[in-house]
Amino acid sequence: MGIDLPLIWFVIIVFSMLMYIVMDGFDLGIGILYPALKESQDRDLMMNSVAPVWDGNETWLVLGGAALFGAFPLAYAIVLDALSIPLTFMLFALIFRGVAFEFRFRADESHRRRWDHAFIWGSILTTFSQGVVIGAFIQGFHVENRVYMGGYFDWFAPFPLFCGFGLVIAYALLACGWLIMKTEGHLRKTMYRVLPVLTLAMLTVVGVLSVWTPMLNDAIYERWFSLPNLFFFLPVPLLVLGCVWLILKSAKRQRYDSVPFLAALMLIFLGFTGLGISIWPSLIPPAITFRDAAGPSESLGFMLVGALFIIPVILVYTYWSYYVFRGKITPDQGYH
């Protein structure tokens, strides 16, 4: 029995995207939460909390995109055709955000506000664009004879746009939990006040998507509500409510600062799992599976050798960077 190379590469891409969403999510969420803090010292502290790791977080996005291009060229071509506009918005927003991140610390007080705005809007537009892309995947693509036949604005529909809004809320919640875990004093207390609002907003988003997603097409509805699948998925709503309860309890007691972040991560993971369940085994829903979109076996095998080397290196580097910069950050610490 041979190695199932398409399945291995599908798992690698899913893992890369999950790592990116988890790790760069709170990074982008810092910019989304920026308007909630007006003091320059608080904003400096917010940036310094992610300054040592934010570059490395985006490695997973590069890995996922490169893997999609090499392992599933058909899917890559269709995605670029269908989602060229939101992906372009995302890339430009990432550029503006990255430049603002570096330049803000070097700008004088009169120009710093401009870089703050660039950082805020770059973070929001990046996150919103990613949410639109996710929503477009769940909604599906019009493909005939392995060619995208839809329009350039098919993504501009209520469901993908709502997913963009929902991801903004999700990343803001992640960032709120991260800042509670990493900071002290005024900033930490402010985030604890914001935490219940973001948590309830996130619960609302999850509820709306849970009702809306099965209504998109019959295949998703059948997968969610047919037996025995329904029994397998029943624990998911209970886990979501359990995470929300943990976050709200932590916000009330303002103790165990790591709990809000870890519970928010679990919410993101549950949402990502729901996405995977909805589209499996499609890579380009609803018609093209990951096996249909896979490249030649020779290419997949050749790339896998490199992936087996580079992925452990990225994991070790990621672990080491978070380990070195663990613990609370104080106003007198800086990484620029």
Side-chain angles (χ1 to χ4, degrees):
M1 188 175 190
I3 299 175
D4 194 342
L5 292 172
L7 179 60
I8 292 174
W9 275 105
F10 183 80
V11 171
I12 289 174
I13 291 174
V14 169
F15 176 73
S16 299
M17 292 298 99
L18 178 60
M19 289 294 288
Y20 173 76
I21 290 172
V22 165
M23 303 186 72
D24 207 37
F26 65 82
D27 189 343
L28 289 162
I30 295 292
I32 297 170
L33 290 177
Y34 237 50
L37 283 302
K38 303 300 182 183
E39 296 294 328
S40 180
Q41 186 181 46
D42 285 336
R43 291 186 169 187
D44 289 345
L45 201 57
M46 292 170 76
M47 274 201 170
N48 277 324
S49 72
V50 294
V53 296
W54 78 280
D55 279 326
N57 292 343
E58 295 180 354
T59 305
W60 296 103
L61 179 63
V62 176
L63 177 63
L68 184 66
F69 172 75
F72 303 101
L74 174 62
Y76 185 85
I78 292 173
V79 167
L80 284 191
D81 240 359
L83 302 174
S84 57
I85 294 176
L87 288 174
T88 301
F89 283 155
M90 182 190 76
L91 291 176
F92 274 109
L94 280 171
I95 292 170
F96 271 95
R97 178 178 172 275
V99 171
F101 198 105
E102 298 295 339
F103 277 38
R104 181 185 180 275
F105 285 96
R106 292 165 174 78
D108 56 39
E109 200 62 38
S110 61
H111 293 91
R112 183 168 294 185
R113 186 170 296 275
R114 297 178 185 177
W115 293 117
D116 282 349
H117 286 303
F119 183 66
I120 291 167
W121 288 109
S123 301
I124 292 174
L125 183 56
T126 297
T127 304
F128 183 78
S129 299
Q130 290 177 5
V132 167
V133 169
I134 292 171
F137 263 92
I138 302 174
Q139 181 175 262
F141 302 93
H142 181 200
V143 178
E144 295 180 9
N145 298 321
R146 298 165 65 90
V147 176
Y148 177 66
M149 300 300 292
Y152 288 114
F153 290 93
D154 284 6
W155 56 270
F156 195 76
F159 184 79
L161 294 177
F162 183 80
C163 287
F165 166 77
L167 197 62
V168 170
I169 299 297
Y171 282 2
L173 178 61
L174 269 179
C176 188
W178 170 262
L179 291 172
I180 288 170
M181 186 174 66
K182 293 291 290 183
T183 64
E184 298 175 332
H186 175 260
L187 180 56
R188 173 180 171 274
K189 290 180 180 178
T190 302
M191 289 299 104
Y192 263 125
R193 288 198 298 269
V194 173
L195 184 62
V197 177
L198 289 174
T199 304
L200 294 177
M202 185 65 192
L203 181 61
T204 303
V205 167
V206 171
V208 171
L209 290 178
S210 298
V211 174
W212 199 343
T213 301
M215 296 170 59
L216 291 176
N217 61 64
D218 294 337
I220 296 177
Y221 183 90
E222 180 70 18
R223 178 159 299 164
W224 281 34
F225 296 108
S226 64
L227 297 177
N229 291 355
L230 180 61
F231 296 116
F232 295 144
F233 301 154
L234 277 178
V236 175
L238 298 178
L239 289 172
V240 169
L241 292 175
C243 291
V244 170
W245 177 80
L246 280 174
I247 295 173
L248 294 177
K249 183 179 179 181
S250 179
K252 183 178 181 180
R253 294 186 175 184
Q254 298 192 12
R255 296 168 57 192
Y256 307 112
D257 289 353
S258 62
V259 170
F261 182 67
L262 295 176
L265 282 180
M266 178 57 71
L267 281 175
I268 297 296
F269 176 76
L270 291 171
F272 192 83
T273 303
L275 164 64
I277 292 170
S278 298
I279 68 174
W280 169 265
S282 298
L283 189 57
I284 300 295
I288 298 179
T289 67
F290 67 91
R291 299 189 191 281
D292 297 330
S297 297
E298 295 79 5
S299 298
L300 299 181
F302 178 77
M303 291 190 303
L304 186 60
V305 175
L308 292 177
F309 169 76
I310 195 65
I311 293 176
V313 171
I314 297 174
L315 287 171
V316 170
Y317 163 79
T318 301
Y319 166 78
W320 184 248
S321 62
Y322 279 89
Y323 177 77
V324 169
F325 296 101
R326 67 192 181 279
K328 298 277 188 179
I329 184 171
T330 57
D332 60 320
Q333 291 176 306
Y335 304 104
H336 281 76

